Amino acid sequence: MIKLCRAIILSVLALTTLTAHAADWYKVEVVVFANQDSAPLADEYWPEIKEIPVPSNALNLKPSNAEGGAYKRLPGSSLSLHDAKKRLRNSGPYKILFHAGWMQPVYRTQTPRPIHITGGEILDNGMYELDGYIAVGRGTYLHFRPNLFLSRKLTADENALLQSPINTTIENSADNAQAAALITMQASSTATSAMSNELLPAIPDILTVNLDQARRMKSKELHYIDHPLMGILVEIRPVR
């Protein structure tokens, strides 16, 4: 009798473990776009990003002709966000950098495995305009976790915009006296302005910014994740 009870308990524990690790399949569709307007550049301080971190367990999104069903690009005819993408293009200075859909198992975990994506052009520094990772897990809700990096080649005007007194004040907000002195120097004579320019931080020709925002989502709904210089449209649907 004791052996029978032990066997039943072990069976229940095994079933519970399998259920906890079971995965449902979902179709994930993502559109990533850049906001090419220059105005947001001056609204925030952008810390320098020299390299993009690479998770050791990341997967690459596979081409549509690859074998298997998971993490493989779906054909365009299977995508749902073409109209939303068209409206984006027609509504402002937005550039589509990535649009793809794929099917994948989604596990109940707080640390889902990231998928590597790239998009846009390759810039002079060898970086893609868009590079980074997307991970999808679930609990009570779906959890969408982008960690994306947008690299943008700055025009001369945009470079000057980042050198503006307002932007410099934001960067040096920890030292208000130094910021005030710098602004005063910029407003003075040509010679003094030249001196102040030497104190300004060097602005790279290519600016890289990061979007790292975990978001809880409901399936079968279109979601939008915002950033001053980029945005993401996401739709996740269960696969029956």
Side-chain angles (χ1 to χ4, degrees):
M1 184 67 179
I2 294 176
K3 290 183 178 180
L4 178 60
C5 290
R6 183 179 298 173
I8 293 173
I9 292 171
L10 290 175
S11 298
V12 171
L13 289 174
L15 181 60
T16 302
T17 301
L18 288 173
T19 302
H21 289 85
D24 292 328
W25 280 69
Y26 287 83
K27 172 192 169 187
V28 181
E29 186 173 353
V30 176
V31 175
V32 184
F33 60 93
N35 178 9
Q36 297 183 297
D37 186 9
S38 299
L41 288 169
D43 293 341
E44 297 190 29
Y45 164 61
W46 307 104
E48 184 178 7
I49 297 175
K50 294 183 177 180
E51 60 182 4
I52 296 173
V54 180
S56 59
N57 63 336
L59 295 165
N60 287 315
L61 196 58
K62 296 183 288 188
S64 58
N65 59 355
E67 295 183 357
Y71 309 108
K72 183 173 70 173
R73 282 177 179 263
L74 296 173
S77 58
S78 298
L79 302 181
S80 307
L81 300 182
H82 291 297
D83 288 343
K85 184 172 67 173
K86 184 177 180 180
R87 288 194 296 271
L88 265 176
R89 282 181 171 145
N90 295 334
S91 63
Y94 303 122
K95 179 180 180 180
I96 306 299
L97 299 177
F98 178 86
H99 180 199
W102 62 92
M103 292 192 295
Q104 69 166 87
V106 177
Y107 297 90
R108 289 186 177 274
T109 175
Q110 296 297 315
T111 55
R113 195 170 184 181
I115 303 166
H116 183 219
I117 68 168
T118 58
E121 303 172 12
I122 298 178
L123 302 177
D124 295 342
N125 62 356
M127 297 175 68
Y128 280 94
E129 287 182 271
L130 175 70
D131 200 340
Y133 301 86
I134 288 172
V136 183
R138 66 187 176 100
T140 305
Y141 296 92
L142 292 165
H143 297 275
F144 182 80
R145 301 181 178 184
N147 186 19
L148 300 179
F149 295 82
L150 172 73
S151 292
R152 170 172 174 162
K153 186 173 179 61
L154 300 174
T155 66
D157 289 341
E158 289 173 341
N159 199 293
L161 190 64
L162 289 177
Q163 293 277 18
S164 68
I166 294 176
N167 197 274
T168 304
T169 303
I170 294 173
E171 181 174 352
N172 295 300
S173 58
D175 190 344
N176 292 331
Q178 181 180 353
L182 183 56
I183 293 173
T184 301
M185 284 191 290
Q186 287 178 317
S188 63
S189 66
T190 302
T192 308
S193 295
M195 184 186 304
S196 67
N197 287 336
E198 294 179 1
L199 299 178
L200 287 169
I203 302 298
D205 292 332
I206 296 175
L207 176 69
T208 299
V209 299
N210 179 221
L211 188 160
D212 184 3
Q213 299 180 25
R215 183 72 61 86
R216 292 192 305 174
M217 296 183 174
K218 292 183 178 180
S219 64
K220 299 184 287 187
E221 293 184 2
L222 181 61
H223 295 266
Y224 172 53
I225 299 177
D226 192 20
H227 181 280
L229 299 180
M230 61 192 300
I232 307 174
L233 298 178
V234 189
E235 186 178 78
I236 304 176
R237 291 182 171 272
V239 177
R240 302 298 181 187

